[in-house]
Amino acid sequence: MLPLAERLRPKNLNQYIGQKHLVGDGAILNQMIKNGNITSFILWGPPGVGKTTLARIIAHTLERPFYTLSAVTSGVKEVRDIIDKAKRANNLANNALFKEEHPSNAILFIDEIHRLSPIVEEYLYSAMEDFKIDIVLDKGPSARSIQIELAPFTLIGATTRSGLLTSPLRARFGITCHLEYYDAKVLNRIVKRSSAILGISIDDDAATELALRSRGTPRIANALLRRVRDFAMVKGEGHIDLEITRMALGALN
């Protein structure tokens, strides 16, 4: 059984609600996905608006291997290991899909990319541009450099603070995509979708009440829905109406 948060996460663009300026008909990311030609890009926006989810959907839609790192904890070794795994998974030597007309290179997702250490950032420059990494072995007079060839990959960076990205790093991405807060109407749809996955019925006005109290963020909406569901199981016979919603939210302050 998947964790609850994972079960609520959309798996494809048909399930993904909102951000039409990015994934709606004719939008830039939608066109890139349809063409199968995704360039490295930045997703930026407040926490909980779907940056990681969107990156996963892109990888799933294009049927590419997906690897994720956190810039907060990742060092040089972690970056090298994850790209090496992508290289083995792609199997460049034997995979006939690695032709220009059938790109299937892996997607590497780095969360909070603005917090990368300068050393790791330097490694990414050559990795993104030339698919190579120069590794320095030993120290002093005996130091030597070896070059590691990498499989082609696409880097998707996510950040909540795009202003902290360094200019050299920002310049190496094709585009920057801003994810916006969600309005109540869109959050209402997200709440209803999540309640269906949870197997609990909810009135439209109750879903709207939850949407209005979610600060424009799907993550908060889903978290509140789970708490309200617990109240409904005890006091509402498993159905969420406006009265139960307000009672639960009041109890939660």
Side-chain angles (χ1 to χ4, degrees), residues 44-51 159-160 178-181 216-217 219:
W44 75 277
V49 295
K51 298 184 291 294
T159 178
T160 55
H178 180 213
L179 277 75
E180 302 171 346
Y181 282 113
T217 307
R219 182 185 294 165

Side-chain angles (χ1 to χ4, degrees), residues 4-246:
L4 185 55
E6 189 64 29
R7 287 162 51 200
L8 296 179
R9 191 191 298 272
K11 302 299 187 294
N12 54 58
L13 285 178
N14 292 329
Q15 299 174 358
Y16 192 83
I17 300 172
Q19 308 298 342
K20 294 301 182 184
H21 64 292
L22 295 179
V23 296
D25 291 338
I28 184 168
L29 278 184
N30 198 325
Q31 292 299 314
M32 289 168 63
I33 294 170
K34 286 182 178 179
N35 295 335
N37 185 21
I38 292 286
T39 183
S40 295
F41 63 93
I42 290 287
L43 294 171
W44 75 277
V49 295
K51 298 184 291 294
T52 303
T53 296
L54 185 54
R56 288 180 180 273
I57 287 175
I58 291 171
H60 175 77
T61 302
L62 298 177
E63 297 182 342
R64 298 188 185 183
F66 182 79
Y67 303 92
T68 181
L69 290 172
S70 172
V72 179
T73 59
S74 296
V76 174
K77 181 179 182 300
E78 285 77 8
V79 173
R80 285 165 48 194
D81 288 347
I82 203 77
I83 295 178
D84 186 56
K85 288 179 183 178
K87 182 177 180 178
R88 293 198 301 269
N90 286 331
N91 194 11
L92 282 176
N94 301 315
N95 192 344
L97 291 177
F98 276 89
K99 299 177 181 178
E100 287 188 354
E101 63 268 28
H102 296 295
S104 57
N105 52 335
I107 290 178
L108 173 62
F109 177 76
I110 300 183
D111 197 16
E112 299 297 346
I113 194 170
H114 65 275
R115 299 182 68 178
L116 278 177
S117 72
I119 296 176
V120 174
E121 192 172 306
E122 290 286 343
Y123 272 95
L124 281 180
Y125 295 161
S126 59
M128 293 174 67
E129 293 179 336
D130 305 317
F131 302 122
K132 298 176 181 178
I133 286 183
D134 292 315
I135 304 295
V136 178
L137 303 178
D138 298 327
K139 297 180 180 179
S142 61
R144 65 188 189 279
S145 175
I146 62 172
Q147 191 172 82
I148 299 176
E149 298 282 342
L150 302 176
F153 70 97
T154 300
L155 178 61
I156 301 178
T159 178
T160 55
R161 305 182 69 181
S162 64
L164 295 183
L165 292 173
T166 64
S167 295
L169 181 61
R170 186 194 298 270
R172 284 168 170 82
F173 287 92
I175 57 173
T176 299
C177 302
H178 180 213
L179 277 75
E180 302 171 346
Y181 282 113
Y182 293 65
D183 61 32
K185 184 177 180 180
V186 175
L187 282 172
N188 178 294
R189 294 171 55 199
I190 292 174
V191 169
K192 288 181 178 178
R193 175 186 176 275
S194 297
S195 64
I197 294 173
L198 294 174
I200 190 167
S201 59
I202 185 170
D203 291 342
D204 184 68
D205 54 358
T208 299
E209 185 75 12
L210 278 172
L212 291 170
R213 302 207 195 190
S214 299
R215 301 199 293 278
T217 307
R219 182 185 294 165
I220 297 176
N222 285 330
L224 292 178
L225 174 64
R226 295 197 296 269
R227 302 289 76 78
V228 173
R229 177 198 59 175
D230 297 339
F231 276 81
M233 298 298 291
V234 175
K235 298 182 178 294
E237 299 180 352
H239 175 74
I240 300 177
D241 58 21
L242 183 59
E243 181 181 358
I244 287 291
T245 300
R246 288 178 172 171

